Each structure stands twice: as structure tokens, then as C-alpha cells.
């Protein structure tokens, strides 16, 4: 769903399901993208990144897909676990992470046992 | 240090008082950033220090906000005459072209745990 006011879009899944979190970015000149996970009371934690010359990158249980045509990123989490419950943010940058990041609004992922 | 360290972790202050928030970046990281996160919101850029260059202050919301970075390391964000709308989590991050992240690129952009500021 769309973010309205203070309400974050929320994705609720069952443990073991695959999760897909989507993000629309704003700047067609952005050449570097990062997904962060933020647990309650903590700072954003790096999950995975991707450069604009790639359309897919895989990590451990996570995959990031980049569609530059429609300025869209997605984060896929395989076999979601309760410990994956957090707010997930995408961020974009035009200098490979050596300048300010522009963040999306975030999506809350809730994983039920 | 091993990570970005921020202090205090929590700060409650009365409206109209000044506050100082501190950030210790990762040792050797030449770039330092301050962001603000209001409840249920994304991160809002405030200010960016890059080596010895003049800081990018374009994100500071008012002239009550200022920041310094001494000796290219520790940074202090100061908010004067605090208002209730200043209540938020203030996050610091650092990065360096000489310290790529686990991907081998991306300059190790790393956040601290933040300072939760509450203005009452």
C-alpha cells in the first residue's frame, strides 16, 4: 500500500514464506542503491547494495532487483524468519555512497511464527 | 572504533533549551552525515562533512541547527532553543572511499544507533 502520513506500508507474512518489499526511487541519475533494515531502537543496518549497471544482485537469503526503466527496486527475502521483522528502507545515491543518501519512506515487515 | 558511536542515546529536554548531540565516526572515515528520523518516517538529510571541504548544510531545517566536525573526526550537532517539532531520532553515518563495504564498493556507508531527542 501507499504511505500516508505517519503510517508505514506494512507487509505481514508467515515464517518460511518469501517476502518482497518494493521501492520506487526518484532520481534517474542515481547510480547506487542500498537496502537497509532498521529494528526498533536501532540505526539502519546495511543489507545489500547494487549499482545501476546491474539489474540483480544476490546475498545470503536476499536478492535485490533493479528496474531502471521504471525506477523501481525490490528486495526479496527468502524463507522469512521472525528475526527479519523490521522496517526496511531503500536509499539512492549518485556517488557510489560517498555523498548523501535519499531514503524512501520505508516498509514494515511483520513475520508471524 | 569498530562502528559509528552516538551519544547520548536518549535526551529529554525542555522547550527552549539548547542540546548537543555527539557522533564518533568509524576511524578513518572521511565523510560524516547527520540525518533526522521522525516517528514513522524515512530519514531526512541534515548536513554532510567531506574531508576538509566546506560542509553541505542544505538539509538543515532552520538556523537553530548547526554542526561542527573537529579534527576531521568527532562531530557535534547543536540545536538551539529547541521546539517540540525537533523531537526525533538523530542519526549519524560515516563513509570513506578507502573503506569499501562488504560488497567491495559503496564506501562502507554505516549508521550509528542514533540519539532519540524528546522536547517537552
Amino acid at each position: 500500500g501507499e504511505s500516508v502520513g505517519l503510517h508505514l506500508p506494512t507487509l505481514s507474512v508467515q515464517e518460511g514464506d518469501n517476502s518482497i518489499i518494493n521501492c520506487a526511487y526518484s532520481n534517474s541519475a542515481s547510480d547506487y542503491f542500498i537496502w537497509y533494515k532498521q529494528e526498533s531502537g536501532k540505526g539502519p543496518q546495511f543489507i545489500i547494495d547494487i549499482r545501476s549497471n546491474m539489474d540483480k544482485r544476490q546475498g545470503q537469503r536476499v536478492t535485490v532487483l533493479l528496474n531502471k526503466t521504471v525506477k523501481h527496486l525490490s528486495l526479496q527475502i527468502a524463507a522469512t524468519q521472525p528475526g527479519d521483522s523490521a522496517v526496511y528502507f531503500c536509499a539512492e545515491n549518485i556517488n557510489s555512497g560517498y555523498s548523501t543518501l535519499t531514503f524512501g519512506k520505508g516498509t514494515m515487515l511483520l513475520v508471524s511464527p | 572504533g569498530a562502528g559509528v558511536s552516538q551519544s547520548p542515546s536518549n535526551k529529554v529536554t525542555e522547550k527552549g533549551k539548547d542540546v548537543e548531540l555527539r557522533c564518533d565516526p568509524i576511524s578513518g572515515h572521511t565523510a560524516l552525515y547527520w540525518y533526522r528520523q521522525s516517528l514513522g518516517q524515512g530519514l531526512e538529510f541534515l548536513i554532510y562533512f567531506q574531508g576538509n571541504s566546506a560542509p553541505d548544510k542544505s538539509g538543515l531545517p532552520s538556523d537553530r541547527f548547526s554542526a561542527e566536525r573537529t579534527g576531521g573526526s568527532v562531530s557535534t550537532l547543536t540545536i538551539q532553543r529547541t521546539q517540540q517539532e525537533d523531537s526525533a531520532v538523530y542519526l549519524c553515518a560515516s563513509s570513506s572511499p578507502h573503506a569499501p563495504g562488504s560488497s567491495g564498493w559503496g564506501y562502507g556507508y554505516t549508521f550509528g544507533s542514533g540519539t532519540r531527542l524528546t522536547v517537552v
Side-chain angles (χ1 to χ4, degrees):
Chain A
E2 292 296 321
S3 170
V4 178
L6 297 179
H7 301 289
L8 287 173
T10 300
L11 175 64
S12 297
V13 301
Q14 293 286 110
E15 182 177 3
D17 287 351
N18 296 331
S19 303
I20 300 175
I21 300 170
N22 296 303
C23 176
Y25 65 92
S26 58
N27 189 345
S28 58
S30 293
D31 63 2
Y32 176 66
F33 306 88
I34 311 175
W35 278 101
Y36 284 96
K37 172 186 180 183
Q38 187 175 29
E39 296 172 289
S40 181
K42 297 183 178 179
Q45 177 187 2
F46 173 92
I47 301 174
I48 192 168
D49 54 2
I50 189 169
R51 282 178 163 166
S52 60
N53 61 352
M54 305 171 72
D55 53 20
K56 179 179 180 179
R57 188 154 189 261
Q58 289 186 290
Q60 188 176 15
R61 282 202 306 119
V62 295
T63 301
V64 55
L65 298 178
L66 173 62
N67 184 331
K68 294 182 290 294
T69 302
V70 294
K71 294 192 288 187
H72 184 267
L73 275 171
S74 68
L75 177 71
Q76 300 178 0
I77 305 174
T80 315
Q81 302 168 0
D84 294 328
S85 295
V87 177
Y88 290 80
F89 293 97
C90 67
E92 61 185 296
N93 177 264
I94 60 171
N95 195 17
S96 297
Y98 198 54
S99 61
T100 60
L101 298 178
T102 300
F103 283 83
K105 292 291 187 186
T107 296
M108 180 171 292
L109 176 65
L110 297 175
V111 184
S112 304
Chain B
V4 178
S5 178
Q6 292 188 245
S7 61
S9 54
N10 282 283
K11 176 72 176 178
V12 180
T13 190
E14 293 181 351
K15 178 180 173 181
K17 301 281 190 181
D18 297 353
V19 294
E20 287 189 350
L21 312 179
R22 177 186 168 104
C23 173
D24 280 281
I26 291 174
S27 179
H29 276 198
T30 52
L32 185 149
Y33 318 80
W34 283 98
Y35 290 84
R36 177 169 71 174
Q37 186 175 30
S38 300
L39 183 64
Q41 298 293 305
L43 280 73
E44 173 192 6
F45 164 71
L46 296 177
I47 187 168
Y48 160 44
F49 296 90
Q50 158 54 304
N52 295 322
S53 302
D56 175 357
K57 303 179 182 180
S58 61
L60 295 178
S62 78
D63 59 8
R64 297 186 295 105
F65 288 72
S66 63
E68 290 184 340
R69 189 178 187 194
T70 55
S73 180
V74 172
S75 177
T76 302
L77 177 69
T78 302
I79 309 172
Q80 296 178 309
R81 305 181 303 281
T82 51
Q83 303 294 313
Q84 288 186 328
E85 61 263 28
D86 299 334
S87 296
V89 175
Y90 289 81
L91 289 157
C92 177
S94 67
S95 69
S96 171
H98 307 296
S102 59
S103 63
W105 20 272
Y107 303 137
Y109 212 111
T110 304
F111 281 87
S113 295
T115 295
R116 181 175 296 278
L117 175 66
T118 304
V119 182
V120 298

